Amino acid sequence: MNAAIRSVVRYAIYKKLEVFGVSRGWWGLINEELKPLDHRSVSGIINQGGTILKTARCVEFENEEGQARAFNTIKKYAIDAMVVIGGDGSFRAAHKFYLKYKVPCIGIPVSIDNDINGIDTTIGSDTAVNTALCAIDNIRDTATSMERIFVVEVMGRNSGFIALQVALGAGCEEAIIPEKKFDLEEICHSIVEGNLRGKISWIIVVAEGAAKAEDIARKITEYTSLETRAIVLGHIQRGGRPTAASRTLALTLGQQAVDCLLKGQSDQAVGVKDGEIVTVDLETATKKKDLEVDRLYNLIRILT
Ligand code: F6P
């Protein structure tokens, strides 16, 4: 997010525009928490995770009163256009707000879940996957040396994106994801069969929205009598130094968002699709994304 903020601020200033940073997203618009951002205000943030503007899930914005207060702030500060940096929740809210108040608005897609439709990748998803991948690589050392089973819970309340990517990239045996029904007995059965053939360790990745690692680990131990440990990676996946891919994407899309607004575009998200810079209607962007779940899921199982 910080790389995107830096890009929007500096490119907009280069284009002779004035920029305000809104604290905590929609909350800041409702509560009039915004301040001018100059070139210097975004120095030294390109390598930091999170966002200098802070972010929050804002329930007040869901009701009409909250939206009206946000619009009042926009009028009071004579704001001509908005750049919304966020995920599907932010985009849904932006689309609704645009339909009602017609404030020009462009979305920059940021989410670890890569769940914005119509584009290849969200800012931050590459960073999150690499963080989880490194953690699992480390866990594998114990799994192999101590001949254990590990169940690793990764983020993804509604999305199996991180789980599938890391299960494939870390050579894990199984991915349990919200998009697919799973049969724990079948998984346990294959562990027992593998163990009889001499296999000594397993890493099973579970997305938090599909099951709890603790529950899966307990049931595996009960069924197989093999030593199983549960690990929850949690919010470490949501922070840390952004990868080169996440930064480059953020810096590119920051510029694009400003250019789109200058060209009079609105109610759209910017992104990269098949190597090209594109815009997607916010309504389309918030539809369910095809994450090639079946292809990845099957490949994980074939390569085990
Ligand atoms: O925004 C989606 C997400 O990254 C999910 O993958 C995860 O479940 C959630 O955010 C975590 O949010 P919180 O920190 O509010 O629990």
Side-chain angles (χ1 to χ4, degrees):
M1 278 189 165
N2 281 327
I5 294 167
R6 177 181 190 266
S7 178
V8 170
V9 170
R10 292 199 170 170
Y11 187 67
I13 292 171
Y14 168 77
K15 288 284 184 179
K16 311 259 182 287
L17 303 170
E18 214 182 317
V19 189
F20 277 75
V22 182
S23 296
R24 303 184 184 88
W26 300 113
W27 182 93
L29 271 189
I30 294 174
N31 295 288
E32 238 183 90
E33 291 264 343
L34 61 171
K35 57 169 193 244
L37 295 178
D38 62 9
H39 192 92
R40 269 276 182 84
S41 64
V42 291
S43 293
I45 64 169
I46 199 168
N47 57 349
Q48 288 172 26
T51 158
I52 53 160
L53 293 175
K54 306 209 181 299
T55 182
R57 301 194 192 280
C58 178
V59 282
E60 295 102 301
F61 197 74
E62 283 166 23
N63 62 53
E64 304 218 333
E65 196 207 322
Q67 292 163 21
R69 283 176 60 192
F71 184 58
N72 280 340
T73 307
I74 286 174
K75 280 193 296 186
K76 184 169 170 185
Y77 284 77
I79 288 166
D80 299 313
M82 292 192 296
V83 175
V84 174
I85 305 174
D88 58 346
S90 307
F91 284 8
R92 253 178 231 115
H95 177 58
K96 222 162 120 184
F97 194 68
Y98 175 75
L99 290 184
K100 195 155 179 193
Y101 293 105
K102 297 285 182 252
V103 180
C105 149
I106 292 288
I108 298 184
V110 181
S111 165
I112 61 168
D113 292 332
N114 196 19
D115 53 359
I116 298 298
N117 186 40
I119 58 162
D120 293 336
T121 315
T122 51
I123 297 161
S125 54
D126 183 67
T127 305
V129 166
N130 275 294
T131 303
L133 194 66
C134 287
I136 294 179
D137 284 348
N138 290 356
I139 291 166
R140 183 170 291 290
D141 294 343
T142 304
T144 314
S145 308
M146 300 195 76
E147 306 181 84
R148 279 180 188 165
I149 300 170
F150 275 87
V151 181
V152 184
E153 188 176 310
V154 297
M155 274 188 157
R157 201 166 15 223
N158 305 308
S159 166
F161 169 74
I162 296 178
L164 287 171
Q165 296 288 322
V166 296
L168 185 65
C172 301
E173 280 72 14
E174 196 69 57
I176 298 176
I177 54 173
E179 292 90 339
K180 257 192 158 356
K181 278 209 169 107
F182 67 98
D183 181 344
L184 193 52
E185 241 181 61
E186 190 202 311
I187 294 173
C188 290
H189 187 69
S190 91
I191 292 174
V192 172
E193 271 194 338
N195 189 244
L196 290 172
R197 288 195 313 269
K199 187 169 166 63
I200 51 162
S201 72
W202 279 260
I203 298 183
I204 295 165
V205 181
V206 51
E208 63 178 332
K212 293 278 147 253
E214 274 293 344
D215 297 340
I216 302 281
R218 196 183 54 252
K219 284 179 192 151
I220 291 176
T221 308
E222 276 165 22
Y223 191 101
T224 66
S225 302
L226 296 169
E227 199 174 356
T228 310
R229 292 276 198 277
I231 309 247
V232 180
L233 295 187
H235 288 77
I236 64 159
Q237 294 153 97
R238 263 182 154 224
R241 275 177 190 268
T243 59
S246 284
R247 292 182 205 195
T248 314
L249 185 62
L251 297 164
T252 301
L253 298 186
Q255 177 189 32
Q256 286 307 313
V258 174
D259 273 342
C260 283
L261 288 172
L262 287 172
K263 279 190 254 163
Q265 288 172 252
S266 190
D267 194 29
Q268 292 176 325
V270 285
V272 173
K273 173 94 184 145
D274 301 331
E276 304 276 331
I277 295 169
V278 295
T279 50
V280 185
D281 292 341
L282 285 181
E283 200 179 357
T284 309
T286 50
K287 293 212 164 103
K288 184 85 188 146
K289 180 175 184 167
D290 176 13
L291 287 170
E292 293 191 285
V293 164
D294 289 329
R295 184 182 71 78
L296 293 171
Y297 185 81
N298 291 335
L299 189 57
I300 291 162
R301 294 191 136 200
I302 291 166
L303 299 183
T304 292

